[in-house]
Amino acid sequence: MSGGGLLVAGTTSDAGKSVVTAGICRWLVRQGVKVAPFKAQNMSLNSFVTREGAEIGRAQAMQAQACRIEPTALMNPVLLKPGSDRSSQVVLMGRPVGEMSARGYHGGRQEALLGTVLDCLAELRGTYDAVICEGAGSPAEINLRRTDIVNMGIARNAKLPVLVVGDIDRGGVFASFFGTVALLSPEDQAFVAGFLVNKFRGDVSLLEPGLEMLLGLTGRRTFGVLPFQHGLGIDEEDGLRISLRGTVRESTTAPPVGEDVLRVAVCAIPLMSNFTDVDALAAEPGVVVRFVDRPEELSDADLVVIPGTRGTVKALEWLRERGIGDALVRRAAEQRPILGICGGFQILGAHIDDEIESRQGSVDGLALLPVRVRFAREKTLTRPVGEALGEPVEGYEIHHGVAQLTGGEAFLDGCRVGQTWGTHWHGSLESDGFRRAFLREVAAAAGRRFVPAPDTSFAALREEQLDRLGDLIEQHADTDALWRLIESGAPQGLPFIPPGAPA
């Protein structure tokens, strides 16, 4: 027998679909329900490697953690990794299958993947009591409906009830809810069961007349009003939003253990990927993490991080054009800490040979590490374990660039020279002992009286965040009604709201 299901859609991108999906998953698993997440198609530069060596969106890995299960490729069969405004790498069942333009993908390739997507969902529903699916963008993208495999396309094919999430903090949530339904065909509207208001500030009683009017206008109820809470934007899907200068990663409010704070500047390079690597730093009391895009913003930083990127050569050019490349060279000469991760590590090397990603051939790197990088057609997808600074470390690798080390001191399959460090390992800073040892080195080199907290557990903090998401659903949503949706599907006889989808 097939398990129950629900599709969490949104009025817009960033309405809160990922965290609501994770919250519903955590609420269900605490009720003893065997539950799994699913997103048919994800567009993201933040990805993760499963134990079987498949690449999926980090949001689905986080949702799997909310379900207390191991993530697999079934949970995100199609991942699109943007390489420019017009093209993306297509990752199918965890493996890259080529680069494709948006026109080419929506022009036929996407429809061809519907069978694969439905097979994955059916396999999960055959294994779990419930599968909580996440949509993408808005289900009312009328220009893309014909090829849709992630919103109403999958809802209708798999007969999933749809819960539409709206971010009231942005304003216009009633118009967004009504308009989303009214732009769908009668066949699609039959699966839209109702709404969930996200990020509400204030007295809910003031909102209730509007919710009653929305019910009268659409015949669909609101299943909950979730209050605004800080610090819940875990494992975002899109690195583009975070690249705005001055953005600070939300961090713990605990005071520093030592006398000084430690300032971390993360270079907001183009096509930044897996910027979630710095979340473990932001979780440390007394560590302040900010994203920067000007050379003068590096001057007071105790550590500069160059994160991963889907465009290593493009990011290198950007660093040079802005004068940040020269600032990094001066910084390295002064023995001030720099950490390059994945693409950032490649940028710090002496030479890059890239006929795959940028197709620019031979390019000189910043030459701060004795490394030569050659881009291979086959992507490296692994979950390495090792030791560094006397501490055990785990991580994951996602890269086409193959590093040949010609010197330096070994460091997580990369190397270090003085206070310049480079590795292909994402996620290494989530290993608590290693992170503390690394921060002690950084503080000593920076001359800061910073002391890492002795008991910060990143895994425990992540669990606390997921429990907070579960609490939001349990305390502010009609969970009995949600469970009826998951178990029985959308109510029968939901009214059609004109005009419907255009012919």
Side-chain angles (χ1 to χ4, degrees):
M1 180 178 170
S2 181
L6 175 70
L7 177 71
V8 178
T11 55
T12 62
S13 294
D14 201 36
K17 297 183 293 291
S18 294
V19 292
V20 167
T21 300
I24 293 173
C25 287
R26 178 49 61 102
W27 158 64
L28 285 171
V29 82
R30 294 196 307 209
Q31 308 307 306
V33 177
K34 192 180 176 188
V35 58
F38 180 77
K39 184 160 184 171
Q41 173 197 292
N42 197 343
M43 178 172 278
S44 179
L45 288 171
N46 281 340
S47 58
F48 182 76
V49 179
T50 67
R51 293 219 176 272
E52 70 267 31
E55 185 180 8
I56 66 170
R58 268 200 74 101
Q60 280 60 65
M62 176 268 291
Q63 290 159 0
Q65 189 174 348
C67 298
R68 298 182 178 141
I69 59 176
E70 194 66 38
T72 73
L74 289 173
M75 298 169 187
N76 179 207
V78 182
L79 174 63
L80 305 178
K81 302 193 72 176
S84 70
D85 290 341
R86 298 193 174 197
S87 69
S88 294
Q89 183 181 64
V90 180
V91 179
L92 179 61
M93 295 304 293
R95 297 287 172 183
V97 293
E99 202 84 13
M100 189 165 287
S101 69
R103 182 181 290 274
Y105 184 67
H106 290 287
R109 180 63 188 266
Q110 188 175 28
E111 282 178 289
L113 295 174
L114 180 61
T116 299
V117 162
L118 291 172
D119 287 346
C120 290
L121 177 57
E123 187 170 339
L124 288 173
R125 293 181 81 180
T127 307
Y128 292 90
D129 302 328
V131 179
I132 308 303
C133 308
E134 181 188 340
S138 162
E141 306 288 1
I142 53 179
N143 55 316
L144 301 176
R145 176 61 186 92
R146 182 180 62 81
T147 58
D148 170 41
I149 64 169
V150 66
N151 290 307
M152 300 314 300
I154 195 167
R156 272 174 64 182
N157 275 282
K159 298 189 168 36
L160 294 171
V162 178
L163 182 70
V164 181
V165 177
D167 179 356
I168 197 169
D169 197 50
R170 293 182 171 192
V173 76
F174 293 118
S176 298
F177 282 146
F178 182 86
T180 297
V181 179
L183 280 177
L184 299 177
S185 69
E187 295 81 6
D188 284 352
Q189 287 191 23
F191 289 92
V192 179
F195 313 107
L196 187 76
V197 176
N198 193 26
K199 299 183 185 177
F200 180 71
R201 306 173 193 248
D203 184 346
V204 176
S205 65
L206 297 175
L207 191 65
E208 284 168 355
L211 301 180
E212 286 296 320
M213 293 180 204
L214 186 66
L215 174 62
L217 286 165
T218 68
R220 290 158 174 85
R221 56 165 298 180
T222 298
F223 285 78
V225 177
L226 308 186
F228 188 100
Q229 287 198 8
H230 287 283
L232 292 181
I234 51 178
D235 290 5
E236 291 100 328
E237 293 190 348
D238 196 343
L240 301 179
R241 186 172 62 87
I242 206 75
S243 67
L244 299 172
R245 67 173 302 276
T247 301
V248 178
R249 290 303 275 172
E250 290 189 354
S251 51
T252 179
T253 55
V257 175
E259 296 178 49
D260 289 343
V261 298
L262 208 62
R263 294 173 176 83
V264 179
V266 184
C267 296
I269 55 181
L271 299 173
M272 182 167 50
S273 63
N274 287 68
F275 60 83
T276 46
D277 281 332
V278 301
D279 285 354
L281 295 178
E284 283 285 347
V287 176
V288 179
V289 177
R290 71 183 190 275
F291 287 77
V292 302
D293 64 359
R294 298 190 307 206
E296 56 268 29
E297 294 175 300
L298 272 57
S299 60
D300 69 341
D302 303 307
L303 169 67
V304 174
V305 177
I306 309 173
T309 172
R310 248 284 275 156
T312 298
V313 172
K314 183 176 183 178
L316 174 60
E317 291 170 349
W318 182 88
L319 290 169
R320 283 183 165 135
E321 286 167 1
R322 288 180 170 252
I324 299 174
D326 288 339
L328 289 168
V329 172
R330 290 193 298 271
R331 185 180 181 89
E334 294 165 2
Q335 293 297 307
R336 301 181 66 199
I338 300 170
L339 172 64
I341 302 174
C342 200
F345 167 41
Q346 297 166 6
I347 285 167
L348 295 176
H351 187 80
I352 300 168
D353 185 11
D354 179 15
E355 298 289 353
I356 303 297
E357 194 174 74
S358 69
R359 298 185 181 142
Q360 290 197 25
S362 183
V363 177
D364 288 332
L366 294 181
L368 302 182
L369 290 174
V371 178
R372 298 179 68 84
V373 176
R374 177 186 55 80
F375 273 68
R377 200 163 294 281
E378 192 72 22
K379 184 185 280 192
T380 297
L381 296 167
T382 62
R383 290 273 291 268
V385 295
E387 185 179 294
L389 303 179
E391 298 286 347
V393 191
E394 294 183 21
Y396 57 99
E397 294 187 46
I398 306 168
H399 54 92
H400 283 281
V402 178
Q404 178 190 358
L405 307 181
T406 58
E409 181 183 338
F411 172 69
L412 298 180
D413 291 342
C415 67
R416 67 175 287 195
V417 172
Q419 289 300 319
T420 301
W421 315 63
T423 177
H424 272 132
W425 291 27
H426 294 291
S428 62
L429 294 166
E430 295 179 19
S431 297
D432 298 325
F434 164 71
R435 181 180 64 254
R436 287 192 276 271
F438 177 69
L439 289 176
R440 280 193 291 270
E441 287 245 2
V442 168
R448 297 287 185 192
R449 290 169 295 180
F450 168 85
V451 178
D455 55 357
T456 302
S457 165
F458 185 75
L461 289 171
R462 172 53 51 86
E463 278 296 302
E464 286 174 21
Q465 281 189 307
L466 293 171
D467 276 331
R468 286 174 66 199
L469 293 178
D471 292 343
L472 273 180
I473 299 299
E474 198 166 315
Q475 296 166 12
H476 301 282
D478 185 339
T479 52
D480 288 342
L482 270 181
W483 178 246
R484 284 195 296 274
L485 268 189
I486 292 166
E487 200 173 34
S488 306
Q492 297 296 306
L494 291 167
F496 169 70
I497 309 303

